[in-house]
């Protein structure tokens, strides 16, 4: 093993005091407003961080979480169903202003848990301190923006419309019981980007944390308990197949919010007995390409492509997962690209200036090694020093060149630090890759000729959800629509879109006769209805 990786894991004594964690055995889970204690089996939480002990490395087990069964999952569902009470429960009938007050209370309590959640993000999924802090703060901002957006939506609905002799008030109301599941790479942010809109629109929720990044929800359980009426939010733990499958089979889930693989989403959706009653909002697989044209500004392009392919070790659904580089500049590009990759610092999540950290998924380094070996057998080289070297859970980025269509990495979503570079000559080669892909999330085009860029834009508008020009692929700003086509997504999320996704419009309408006008204005003047109201939220 080269020096670059032999020193990557620290001795226990070298971990700064403020970033150390002690083992936590979590037994509590939240159902119907009660933090219940689980007496049964637990799931060990293994950190991607290993500690050096002499000439050995020891993986750190930082805690354990409850391995609940279908029985507890169904109790959580019952609690959510009762709290919704066919739309007559307290939560779905509260006014928008009252629901906002509950969410704001939750946010206040959540902010107090920042240090603990950030620390667990580092230990559970290996995210750098800077990115962990960013994830926490971005999630708080998302909640603030959601409240702002709902106020705006509500203000626009606080009026009657008149059309063709009718008068009506149109408002958004909840859909029912939502099941929210997030991914391990953004276990807080992505999960909350569905959970919060689902709640604020009046749905009740069963929330199951991601595969990894589970303990970090623990500091928020009390905040959930104290901020919402019983049964409105229920948090369960355990294996997906034992818990979530049972929920879907009941047919009582009305909204399925899932960020993960399209295979996982298909398997779960299929279990629901009444597909037409299930609304799904899904963020799934992606293989976003960068297309680097002859006249691209290489400084800017290389910097965007390095960040796009290697932020959080390439473990972002929006990461650049294949780089098509025009033959006329590919030699220069790969030289600069590998030079920049070599500057990225390896280390532990809390190390200052670190970019490359260990990977949380067991077996991931073997999978990535397999991709690299397959590509090498078929003619690609690893063109950067140390590319593909492994130490325990650490995989040093492998830049593969030249990559061709017969290699597995050409189509598979690596979701890790392997960067395939494909040289191309004709525009059609890059265009056809996107057109024929099973995925359709985003694409990045790098160049300076406006006519050529415009041609690519028009080729891709019906293929992907977002076309980035001289910019890496990304989800943010969170007010922009985030979606995908084909196997990449179902539905659109953004701060404002999420409010629509988790609700449906209902209207009260009447013929504009004098008698009806009298009734409507009496209801409004005397505040006799929560729905039919022109109150303006401040
Ligand atoms: O993993 C997918 C995330 O939605 C990506 O978000 O582009 O802000 O990293 P991001």
């Amino acid at each position: 093993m080269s020096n670059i990786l032999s020193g990557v894991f620290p001795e226990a004594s070298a971990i700064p005091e403020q970033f150390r964690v002690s083992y936590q055995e979590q037994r509590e889970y939240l159902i119907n407003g009660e933090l219940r204690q689980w007496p049964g089996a637990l799931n060990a939480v293994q950190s991607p961080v290993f500690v050096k002990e002499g000439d050995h490395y020891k993986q750190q087990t930082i805690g354990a979480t409850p391995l609940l069964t279908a029985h507890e999952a169904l109790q959580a569902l019952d609690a959510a169903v009762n709290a919704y009470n066919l739309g007559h429960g307290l939560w779905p009938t509260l006014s928008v202003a009252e629901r906002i007050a509950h969410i704001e209370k939750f946010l206040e309590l959540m902010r107090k848990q920042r240090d603990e959640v950030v620390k667990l993000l580092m230990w559970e999924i290996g995210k750098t301190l800077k990115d962990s802090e960013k994830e926490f703060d971005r999630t708080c901002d998302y909640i603030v923006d959601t409240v702002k957006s709902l106020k705006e939506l509500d203000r626009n609905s606080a009026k009657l419309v008149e059309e063709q002799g009718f008068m009506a008030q149109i408002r958004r109301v909840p859909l029912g019981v939502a099941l929210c599941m997030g991914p391990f790479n953004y276990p807080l942010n992505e999960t909350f980007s569905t959970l919060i809109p689902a709640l604020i629109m009046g749905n009740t929720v069963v929330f199951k944390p991601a595969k990894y990044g589970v303990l970090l929800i623990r500091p928020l359980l009390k905040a959930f308990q104290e901020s919402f009426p019983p049964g409105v939010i229920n948090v369960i733990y355990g294996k997906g197949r034992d818990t979530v499958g049972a929920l879907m089979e009941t047919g009582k889930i009305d909204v399925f919010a899932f960020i993960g693989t399209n295979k996982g989403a298909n398997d779960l959706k299929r279990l629901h007995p009444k597909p037409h009653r299930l609304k799904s909002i899904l963020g799934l697989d992606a293989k976003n390409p960068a297309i680097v044209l002859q006249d691209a500004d290489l400084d800017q392009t290389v910097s965007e492509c390095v960040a796009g392919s290697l932020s959080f070790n390439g473990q972002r659904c929006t990461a650049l997962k294949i780089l098509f580089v025009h033959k006329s500049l590919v030699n220069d590009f790969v030289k600069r690209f590998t030079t920049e990759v070599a500057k990225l610092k390896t280390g532990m999540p809390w190390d200052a200036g670190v970019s490359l950290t260990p990977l949380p998924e067991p077996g991931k380094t073997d999978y990535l090694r397999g991709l690299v070996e397959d590509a090498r057998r078929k003619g690609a080289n690893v063109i950067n020093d140390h590319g593909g070297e492994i130490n325990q859970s650490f995989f040093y980025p492998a830049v593969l060149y030249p990559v061709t269509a017969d290699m597995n990495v050409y189509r598979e979503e690596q979701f890790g630090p392997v960067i395939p570079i494909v040289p191309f000559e004709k525009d059609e080669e890059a265009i056809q890759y996107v057109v024929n892909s099973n995925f359709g999330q985003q694409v990045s085009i790098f160049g300076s000729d406006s006519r050529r860029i415009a041609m690519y834009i028009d080729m891709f508008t019906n293929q992907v959800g977002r076309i980035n020009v001289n910019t890496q692929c990304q989800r943010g700003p969170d007010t922009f629509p985030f979606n995908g086509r084909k196997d990449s997504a179902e539905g659109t999320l953004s701060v404002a879109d999420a409010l629509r996704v988790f609700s449906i419009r209902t209207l009260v309408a009447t013929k504009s006769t004098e008698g009806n006008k009298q009734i409507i204005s009496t209801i409004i003047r005397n505040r006799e209805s929560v729905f039919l109201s022109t109150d303006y939220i401040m």
Side-chain angles (χ1 to χ4, degrees), residues 26 34 50 218 221 271 328 341 379 401 408 425 450 485 509:
Q26 177 182 344
E34 296 160 24
F50 283 65
R218 189 186 191 198
L221 288 181
L271 295 176
S328 60
V341 170
Y401 175 78
N408 293 340
E425 198 153 18
S450 62
R485 289 166 174 260

Side-chain angles (χ1 to χ4, degrees), residues 138 185-186 190 315-318 415 473-476 482:
R138 178 180 177 183
N185 63 333
Y186 279 94
E190 290 253 327
Q315 302 167 115
R316 293 161 57 230
C317 62
T318 48
F415 213 77
C473 297
Q474 60 205 303
R475 175 179 178 146
F482 179 53

Side-chain angles (χ1 to χ4, degrees), residues 17-29:
E17 185 69 41
Q18 72 269 34
F19 299 124
R20 292 184 192 170
V21 279
S22 30
Y23 182 89
Q24 8 179 334
E25 184 178 281
Q26 177 182 344
R27 291 208 169 261
E28 66 274 28
Y29 58 104

